[in-house]
């Protein structure tokens, strides 16, 4: 020894190192540890003699302190003990010397062996520390077990007596990925003969336990896209990871809920894209796409995560409204609020034809309904002033875009033609003519030409002419607008003296326009018969001065033509009125008949007796009716059955005056009623 103690690994100082003769040549037997001398570069040598026949070959030791088996092996050297002196030199003139004995053991007659055992073992990572992995068993007497490698073994341990391998630490693969696979070399040996041993190699695979579903970002996708989004547009990229196995490959699946089986969206790997054209221009086409992305991991048990997806497609006002140019016709005598027709606009955006109509500029006598597009007349028309109108109708859509202020517009031209209505009568100039003609017998003379026109419609030149008055003996005729005197009659009809004809010429417009209006021109013709002194026929034309121009009045007669239902109602009402009147007259007639059938003489006598008794006392006046009633025939009693002939005194009545029942009121004349004494109530029965 040299100032220290020589420590030999695995060998006690007083026991030799034991090794089987079947040990592998060159194998490491022991390791010499030199505490505190590692950094001083100590030199280790075997200085004892190792000559044959005692040594099959020299043992060797390297600078790391490893004692190696001779290269020839130790076969046949059983029961031999080799003594080796080891010199350790370090520093200057410093060294130490130690003795190591190596005993070679013979191979036993019966070897120890492991029972049949699977070499690959798989366990779950959630196996807690101390959990059983596997139990190894070996044949032999009083067998013990130990783990040869890895040394040290941080994850597993083995029971020396029972051979049960157990975990010594948590097997979290996320924190310790190296724990996925561990190779163990297990040794089984007899306790009393430790050189009798056998080795077994085991591979322990740790499989991850699927305890957590995948986690995704975003956890929910709610987005809004316009219907014009092009195909292939990326809506979102999902990032998912498995907490149990980071970096593992996950499976993504797209599932549609509403509408089912939609092809508008697709999922490529982790990317959600627009797969088809989105169109909101059909009923029910613009809707919300509700779907979910199912993320699956590959663990056991299978864990999934569902990411809800809601994609709302918003409408876009893509198309401008349009209408077809149209032509309307209307009579010039049409009244206000007359419907000409409707402008029909078209818009492909949904809701279809959601259009408002306006007139852009143009005349103000027409209007268009904002919602229906109906064109109405507001004022009056005059064909003579304007025959054609053009309206620029502006169409503006609304409610077809996510932005309520986004509108599109279009326009079209509406042509309105005014149909001519004959509403102006022709006028003649002059309206009255006075002419003097000299006519030869047997000749026709052109008297005058009637000149007429319509000042408001100068283009109207077609008129019809006819003589409607004053053409006695039919001596005048019209050839178009020319008045001709026909002097072809002979005999006594020939006038011998001056004669005047007052001719009325009716001038009416002709042509397709209706109604046909007319006027009357007056032509006064003074006819001077032919005489021998007449040299030539002359026509003297005299025109009434303008101050004497007669006033032409055009009178339009309006008549009422009721509706058929009104005629029926009026007829039924009249019939009911006639029936009611007849019933009333019948009742009145029956009343008169009853009145005439009632005897009136006794009543009159009764009245006279009552009047005469006014000068007497009231008691006498009351006695007269009794006497008269006693003498009256039975028919009078029947006719005056409501009259009892008694008067009540005011002293016997709660009233202050006497009440007298006289009978029918119709029996008293007005003069008789004046003679009734006052102070008495008279009950006169009708």
């Amino acid at each position: 020894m040299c100032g220290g103690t020589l420590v030999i690994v695995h060998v006690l100082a007083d026991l030799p190192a034991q090794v089987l003769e079947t040990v592998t040549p060159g194998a490491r037997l022991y390791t010499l540890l030199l505490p505190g001398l590692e950094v001083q570069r100590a030199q280790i040598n075997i200085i004892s003699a190792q000559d044959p026949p005692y040594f099959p070959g020299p043992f060797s030791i390297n600078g790391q302190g490893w004692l190696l088996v001779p290269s020839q092996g130790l076969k046949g050297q059983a029961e031999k003990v080799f003594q080796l002196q080891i010199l350790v030199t370090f520093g200057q003139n410093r060294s130490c010397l130690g003795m190591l004995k190596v005993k070679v053991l013979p191979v036993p007659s019966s070897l120890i062996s492991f029972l049949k055992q699977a070499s690959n073992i798989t366990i779950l990572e959630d196996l807690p520390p101390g959990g059983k992995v596997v139990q190894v068993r070996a044949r032999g007497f009083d067998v013990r077990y130990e783990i040869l490698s890895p040394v040290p073994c941080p994850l597993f341990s083995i029971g020396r007596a029972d051979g049960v391998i157990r975990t010594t630490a948590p097997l979290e693969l996320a924190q310790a990925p190296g724990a996925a696979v561990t190779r163990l070399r297990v040794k089984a040996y007899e306790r009393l003969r430790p050189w009798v041993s056998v080795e077994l190699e085991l591979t322990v695979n740790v499989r991850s336990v699927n305890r957590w579903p995948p986690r995704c970002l975003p956890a929910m996708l709610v987005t809004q896209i316009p219907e014009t989004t092009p195909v292939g547009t990326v809506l979102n990229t999902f990032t998912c990871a498995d907490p149990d196995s980071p970096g593992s490959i996950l499976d993504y699946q797209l599932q549609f809920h509403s509408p089912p089986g939609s092809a508008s969206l697709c999922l490529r790997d982790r990317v959600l894209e627009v797969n088809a054209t989105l169109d909101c221009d059909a009923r029910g086409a613009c809707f919300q796409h509700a779907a979910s992305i199912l993320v699956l991991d590959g663990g056991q048990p299978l864990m999934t995560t569902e990411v809800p997806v809601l994609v709302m497609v918003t409408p876009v006002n893509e198309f401008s409204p349009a209408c077809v140019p149209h032509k309307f016709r209307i009579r010039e005598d049409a009244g206000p609020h007359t419907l000409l027709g409707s402008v029909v606009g078209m818009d492909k955006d949904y809701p279809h034809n959601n259009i408002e109509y306006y007139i852009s500029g143009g005349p103000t006598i027409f209007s268009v309904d904002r919602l229906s597009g109906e064109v109405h007349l507001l004022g009056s028309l005059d064909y003579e002033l304007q025959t054609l109108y053009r309206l620029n109708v502006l169409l503006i859509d609304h409610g077809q875009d996510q932005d309520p202020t986004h509108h599109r517009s279009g326009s079209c031209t509406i042509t309105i033609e005014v149909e001519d209505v004959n509403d102006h009568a022709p006028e003649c100039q002059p309206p009255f003519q006075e002419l003097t003609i000299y006519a030869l017998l047997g000749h026709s003379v052109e008297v005058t030409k009637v000149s007429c026109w319509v000042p408001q419609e100068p283009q109207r030149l077609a008129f019809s002419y006819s003589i409607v008055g004053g053409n006695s003996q039919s001596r005048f005729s019209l050839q178009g607008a020319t008045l001709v005197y026909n002097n072809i009659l002979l005999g006594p009809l020939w006038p011998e003296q001056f004669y005047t004809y007052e001719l009325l010429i009716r001038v009416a417009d002709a042509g397709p326009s209706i109604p046909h209006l007319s006027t009357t021109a007056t032509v006064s013709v003074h006819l001077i018969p032919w005489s021998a002194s007449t040299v030539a026929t002359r026509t003297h034309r005299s025109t009434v001065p303008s101050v004497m121009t007669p006033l032409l009045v055009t009178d339009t007669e309006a008549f009422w033509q009721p509706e058929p239902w009104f005629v029926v109602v009026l007829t039924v009402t009249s019939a009911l009125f006639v029936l009611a009147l007849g019933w009333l007259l019948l009742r009145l007639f029956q009343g008169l008949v009853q009145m005439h059938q009632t005897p009136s003489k006794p009543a009159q006598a009764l009245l006279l007796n009552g009047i005469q008794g006014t000068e007497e006392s009231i008691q006498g006046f009351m006695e007269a009716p009794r006497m008269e009633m006693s003498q009256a025939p039975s028919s009078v009693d029947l006719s005056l059955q409501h009259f009892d002939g008694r008067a009540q005194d005011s002293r016997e009545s709660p009233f202050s005056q006497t009440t007298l029942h006289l009978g029918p009121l119709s029996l008293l004349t007005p003069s008789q009623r004046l003679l009734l004494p006052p102070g008495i109530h008279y009950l006169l029965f009708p």
Side-chain angles (χ1 to χ4, degrees), residues 114-442:
F114 282 99
L115 299 179
K116 188 176 182 180
Q117 178 73 43
S119 60
N120 289 307
I121 301 169
T122 301
I123 60 174
L124 299 178
E125 67 172 337
D126 60 348
L127 188 65
K132 179 180 178 180
V133 177
V134 69
Q135 184 178 14
V136 295
R137 294 181 180 275
R139 296 186 183 93
F141 178 76
D142 197 8
V143 179
R144 296 292 185 264
Y145 304 91
E146 66 177 1
I147 297 177
L148 296 181
S149 66
V151 177
C153 186
L155 299 177
F156 303 98
S157 65
I158 190 170
R160 293 181 62 86
D162 57 7
V164 176
I165 300 176
R166 301 180 182 274
T167 60
T168 58
L171 304 177
E172 292 289 344
L173 296 180
Q175 286 75 24
V181 178
T182 302
R183 291 180 176 84
L184 299 177
R185 190 159 60 93
V186 179
K187 174 183 176 182
Y189 62 94
E190 294 181 359
R191 182 175 66 86
L192 298 179
R193 295 186 302 171
W195 59 87
V196 180
S197 64
V198 67
E199 296 180 3
L200 175 67
E201 289 189 357
L202 297 176
T203 301
V204 180
N205 300 300
V206 179
R207 190 177 64 188
S208 63
V209 177
N210 212 12
R211 291 175 293 176
W212 305 101
R215 297 176 182 177
C216 297
L217 289 176
M220 173 185 295
L221 176 61
V222 178
T223 185
Q224 180 175 288
I225 58 175
E227 63 171 321
T228 55
T229 303
V231 176
T233 300
V234 176
L235 301 181
N236 200 282
T237 300
F238 295 90
T239 302
C240 300
D242 188 1
D244 299 314
S245 180
S248 61
I249 299 177
L250 304 176
D251 184 24
Y252 297 82
Q253 298 178 5
L254 178 62
Q255 297 179 344
F256 284 96
H257 303 307
S258 65
S262 175
S264 301
L265 305 176
C266 68
L267 185 67
R268 290 183 174 88
D269 194 11
R270 300 179 296 113
V271 180
L272 183 64
E273 299 179 356
V274 176
N275 188 49
T277 301
L278 305 175
D279 190 6
C280 293
D281 298 326
R283 180 181 295 275
C286 196
F287 39 64
Q288 297 178 349
H289 295 270
S292 62
I293 296 178
L294 197 63
V295 184
L296 304 91
D297 58 14
Q300 292 294 331
L302 185 67
M303 303 292 288
T304 62
T305 296
E306 186 174 359
V307 180
V309 175
L310 181 62
V311 179
M312 295 174 288
V313 182
T314 59
V316 176
N317 195 358
E318 302 176 78
F319 305 99
S320 298
C323 60
V324 179
H326 199 75
K327 181 183 292 186
F328 300 112
R329 299 178 66 88
I330 184 172
R331 291 168 54 92
E332 67 170 325
D333 59 349
H337 308 293
T338 300
L339 175 63
L340 281 75
S342 299
V343 180
V344 180
M346 296 169 291
D347 194 346
K348 297 180 181 179
D349 292 308
Y350 185 82
H352 300 302
N353 306 330
N354 206 15
I355 303 173
E356 293 182 354
Y357 301 86
Y358 301 93
I359 293 181
S360 177
T364 58
I365 62 173
F366 298 98
S367 70
V368 61
D369 189 88
R370 182 175 62 90
L371 299 178
S372 65
E374 295 180 348
V375 181
H376 294 269
L377 175 66
L378 298 181
S380 58
L381 300 172
D382 193 342
Y383 178 83
E384 288 72 32
L385 296 180
Q386 188 169 352
T387 62
L388 189 67
Y389 296 89
R390 286 186 173 87
L391 304 180
N392 186 26
V393 179
L394 181 64
L395 290 75
I396 301 178
D397 58 14
H398 61 90
Q400 297 171 329
D401 195 277
Q402 182 71 10
D403 182 6
T405 62
H406 184 207
H407 305 283
R408 286 182 176 270
S409 62
S411 64
C412 61
T413 301
I414 302 301
T415 303
I416 301 176
E417 293 183 355
V418 181
E419 295 181 350
D420 187 20
V421 176
N422 194 10
D423 54 352
H424 298 287
E427 297 180 8
C428 297
Q429 187 64 31
F432 179 81
Q433 299 183 50
E434 185 177 7
L435 305 102
T436 301
I437 63 172
Y438 298 87
L440 295 175
L441 183 62

